[in-house]
Amino acid sequence: MNFKTVINIIGIILVILSIFMTIPILVSIINHSQDTLALALSCFITFFCGTVMITLTKQYRHEELMYREAFMTVTLTWITVAFFGCLPYIFTGSVNSFTDAFFESMSGFTTTGSSIFVDVESLPAGLLFWRSMTQWIGGMGIIVFVLAVLPIMGIGGMQLFKAEVPEISVDKLRPRIIDTAKALWIIYIGITGIIIFLYYIAGMDLYDAFCHAFTTISTGGFSTKNASIAHFKNPALEYISCFGMFLGGINFALYFYLLKGNYKRLLKNAEFKFYFSVILVTICLLTIDLIPYYPSLSESFRYSIFQVISIMTTTGYATADYLKWSSFSQLTLLIIMFFGGMIGSTAGGLKQVRVYLMIKQISREFYQLVHPKAVLSLKLDDKFLNKELLGSIWGFVFLAIFVCALASIAMTATGLDLITSFSTVISSMNNVGPALGEAGPASNYSSIPAPGKWILIFCMLAGRLEYYTVLIVLTPAFWKR
Amino acid sequence: MNFKTVINIIGIILVILSIFMTIPILVSIINHSQDTLALALSCFITFFCGTVMITLTKQYRHEELMYREAFMTVTLTWITVAFFGCLPYIFTGSVNSFTDAFFESMSGFTTTGSSIFVDVESLPAGLLFWRSMTQWIGGMGIIVFVLAVLPIMGIGGMQLFKAEVPEISVDKLRPRIIDTAKALWIIYIGITGIIIFLYYIAGMDLYDAFCHAFTTISTGGFSTKNASIAHFKNPALEYISCFGMFLGGINFALYFYLLKGNYKRLLKNAEFKFYFSVILVTICLLTIDLIPYYPSLSESFRYSIFQVISIMTTTGYATADYLKWSSFSQLTLLIIMFFGGMIGSTAGGLKQVRVYLMIKQISREFYQLVHPKAVLSLKLDDKFLNKELLGSIWGFVFLAIFVCALASIAMTATGLDLITSFSTVISSMNNVGPALGEAGPASNYSSIPAPGKWILIFCMLAGRLEYYTVLIVLTPAFWKR
Ligand SMILES: [K+]
Ligand SMILES: [K+]
């Protein structure tokens, strides 16, 4: 393991992080809030540490970054960024413990959106802006990780991006990580800008428009209001939010084709069609089921579409207390949490394409049973998927199931009840935010005991980095020469 | 579809069923209970219908039984047997509706053990004996189905039994279905006899010993007492029960080798080792976790071992109200429900070998990530498993997940709460019996609304017949020439 190369890269990322940190300082100054010094101190420490790390390891070149180092770098990057990103919470004195600060920061950078704050409106303006920004940075990070780094590592069927499926081939996204990252960055900033504009003209002030656009496109779900989007009581804002979350759940590689005017590529993409269909069907089901709960069909539609898109894209904004809904609606929401967004989006979950392929595998088996001599392969977008690739995808699904089971058991061991344990783990693994039980739609995790918070921090990180990236570091084979 | 051949076979099975029905008639006469006529009438109707079916279709030879007919026959057999097996409940007037009678009967023949009776002790002796016998017959049925019929059809990785793994090869169990069935039948009766003997010398009367031995070896879980095994307050009986359930969870093909004195075959069998290890680990965990709930460590062990074996072998007997246990213990029990017994046992669940292979697939992926150029295959008992076989196994697991999700949603649509919906579906699919919520350790399902009972009947049947057998009949491809 070439740790010095790893440290060098993380150093560079910390310097970039410190540059981002200057933005909330400006916001703090403009708003005359009390957190300017705390933010400046965090920014300075981050910059200083990053610079030291680069300086100490500058003789190491990135060409030495090998396969194993890549895993290590990604996992350590998220942990380190979450660590330095939590400094503003500590220096402003807004949290009671390091655990809480780290939980909030990790929840931000993994775009999960679980919060330990009971009253976010009491937080100073600069800090609150930074809180939203962590999700925006995390969302960008995950797109670059999935579309530019993962295909090289081959996790959980991510080889899909390598060559098999030309539509989402990395080659066409330009081969090198940095170039790909730059291109994605521009698209990401562009869409964020559009959402800020829409929020602003629909009635948010500029501050809220920025903060919510950050957490919409990143499907993060942090809000500047205790009541989340429900605070604004503005249907136009809610529909804009739905549109933004829907965009966040789309594979960002597809935006390249859209920019070139190639709309067919998007409409012929099997994963996109599946994603869109699942959303449509679920909205219809819930709209009907919610009729008894709301005065009109349009109200029922309004709350159904928002909650469905928010939960399925794993954003976690809320405009309704779904714990009061029927068990049918609750269970449906719980199940679509697992579907998540498309691969290459900012959303969490198993990802639509994996669920789609699982269903295809089931129907393939049915066909095989009726036609025992037929030799069948699974296809995606008219391309055959090889058995190794499928094995990776299935292994990924099983690993998610096992992490879910073990983490839930660990949560119950901290004394939490069954529903809270199980639902917070699912919510964290899938980077959703809100759960059931003690951590309902308000996504408030303050009552979870500290060991439970650390389990959930692990779940958020593992889920965000597609499990294998994080867990492989724990296997003996990884450390053998 | 050659329906006449299917009807002919079912006719034969009904005649056999009517012969079994003479036993509770004798029991009823000996005990001077009031149900003799009702049982005799059921027996006569079953015999008559069976004979008519055979007579009307006698020109059709079983050689005409093709691949598709096999699926149809198995599914229709279970449904028809459950239908005729429910006549005694109706004729004795013990139930309020046909739904309840069919539910109880299907719960019996699928060895699930969910019951609509609040007070089983008030049932007449003959009927209660028949209720236990339905599980015993169902247990035998499933062994013959899995070890003699399924390998030919190739469902969910059952090809394992065909030739790949010599240990459990059908060839060595004699190739033809009827011969295999006979040999398995003798082993099954032998083990049942041993359990009857042990129960009897440990203190049960002969009637209870028979009834409980029937439902122990079949991992069915019906009891003649409202309080299940807890009624007897006899640790010796509980440990005998544990031993019996453990035997029921073992692949019956392995008993052939044991009879030949080949103990090594058993001890080298990967699935058996996994099954045994999971039981041991879970018992240890729960024994420790339950220390605060019981006066001594031995008490904690006594209740832990019984509940763990009862739930994991999907029997569903209870000696403790585990709803009062910690959420850690409850969740652990809920998770091992999915593990079930070995393939070729009377137990339900996903089956140990599938869980074992899922874990192997996960670790294979980890190894592959560290060694990208290695070409790895999964092994079971030193034999490589081919990709098609693994695809079948994974398809099976995904189908179970989807049936679970859809059936749970359907249950919530009947107005049940989340926990009851989800846990009754899991319990029924895995053929366990008791669930959480409204259907706790007493396995009482009387409060479930009728549509919910029919959903659970479907789950029991689908789970028992390895999903594909039942669901394939619903696919268009099945009906195409
Ligand atoms: K989220
Ligand atoms: K059972």
Side-chain angles (χ1 to χ4, degrees), chain A residues 67-68 71 153-157 159 327-332 334-335 339 355 357-359 361-372 375-376 387-388 390-402 404-406 408-413 415-419 421-422 436 467-469 471-473 475 477-481, chain B residues 67-68 71 153-157 159 327-332 334-335 339 355 357-359 361-372 375-376 387-388 390-402 404-406 408-413 415-419 421-422 436 467-469 471-473 475 477-481:
Chain A
Y67 203 71
R68 295 169 200 219
F71 287 104
M153 314 207 301
I155 283 177
Q159 304 96 316
S327 54
F328 172 85
S329 287
Q330 285 186 44
L331 184 62
T332 306
L334 201 64
I335 288 171
F339 286 51
V355 179
L357 289 175
M358 282 162 74
I359 293 172
Q361 175 75 7
I362 293 172
S363 68
R364 193 201 79 98
E365 277 306 303
F366 275 118
Y367 192 85
Q368 185 90 70
L369 284 172
V370 181
H371 306 278
V375 176
L376 298 167
K387 295 276 195 283
E388 277 69 34
L390 287 172
S392 300
I393 296 174
W394 308 152
F396 177 89
V397 174
F398 300 148
L399 185 58
I401 295 172
F402 276 83
C404 177
L406 292 178
S408 302
I409 287 182
M411 285 298 281
T412 60
L416 289 163
D417 67 83
L418 217 58
I419 293 269
S421 301
F422 194 59
L436 305 173
Y467 304 106
Y468 281 104
T469 321
L471 292 168
I472 201 166
V473 179
T475 63
F478 183 77
W479 296 99
K480 271 187 204 133
R481 271 272 69 151
Chain B
Y67 201 72
R68 295 169 198 218
F71 288 104
M153 314 206 298
I155 284 176
Q159 303 96 313
S327 55
F328 173 84
S329 287
Q330 285 187 43
L331 184 63
T332 307
L334 201 65
I335 288 170
F339 286 51
V355 178
L357 288 174
M358 282 162 73
I359 294 171
Q361 175 74 10
I362 293 172
S363 67
R364 194 200 79 96
E365 277 306 304
F366 275 117
Y367 192 87
Q368 185 90 69
L369 285 173
V370 181
H371 305 278
V375 175
L376 298 167
K387 294 278 197 289
E388 277 68 34
L390 287 172
S392 300
I393 296 174
W394 308 152
F396 177 90
V397 173
F398 300 148
L399 185 58
I401 294 171
F402 276 83
C404 178
L406 293 178
S408 301
I409 287 182
M411 285 297 281
T412 58
L416 289 162
D417 67 83
L418 216 60
I419 292 269
S421 301
F422 194 58
L436 304 173
Y467 304 106
Y468 281 103
T469 321
L471 292 169
I472 200 166
V473 178
T475 62
F478 183 76
W479 296 100
K480 272 188 202 133
R481 271 275 65 160

Side-chain angles (χ1 to χ4, degrees), chain B residues 130-150:
Chain B
W130 173 242
R131 183 167 170 268
S132 300
M133 271 192 78
T134 58
Q135 296 204 319
W136 191 65
I137 297 167
M140 186 61 230
I142 204 63
I143 293 173
V144 171
F145 166 62
V146 170
L147 292 180
V149 181
L150 263 190

Side-chain angles (χ1 to χ4, degrees), chain A residues 335-389:
Chain A
I335 288 171
I336 57 168
M337 265 193 196
F338 284 95
F339 286 51
M342 292 171 71
I343 276 189
S345 73
T346 59
L350 287 176
K351 307 292 178 302
Q352 299 284 334
V353 70
R354 293 204 183 91
V355 179
Y356 174 73
L357 289 175
M358 282 162 74
I359 293 172
K360 279 206 131 185
Q361 175 75 7
I362 293 172
S363 68
R364 193 201 79 98
E365 277 306 303
F366 275 118
Y367 192 85
Q368 185 90 70
L369 284 172
V370 181
H371 306 278
K373 278 160 197 159
V375 176
L376 298 167
S377 288
L378 284 195
K379 286 204 287 186
L380 183 69
D381 296 324
D382 299 326
K383 295 278 161 187
F384 286 101
L385 304 179
N386 73 52
K387 295 276 195 283
E388 277 69 34
L389 181 76

Side-chain angles (χ1 to χ4, degrees), chain B residues 240-256:
Chain B
I240 292 166
S241 190
C242 286
F243 174 67
M245 296 186 282
F246 177 73
L247 293 183
I250 292 175
N251 180 351
F252 274 70
L254 288 176
Y255 291 120
F256 278 88

Side-chain angles (χ1 to χ4, degrees), chain B residues 111-113 219-220 314-315 431-432:
Chain B
T111 78
T112 306
T219 66
T314 72
T315 308
N431 302 118
V432 182

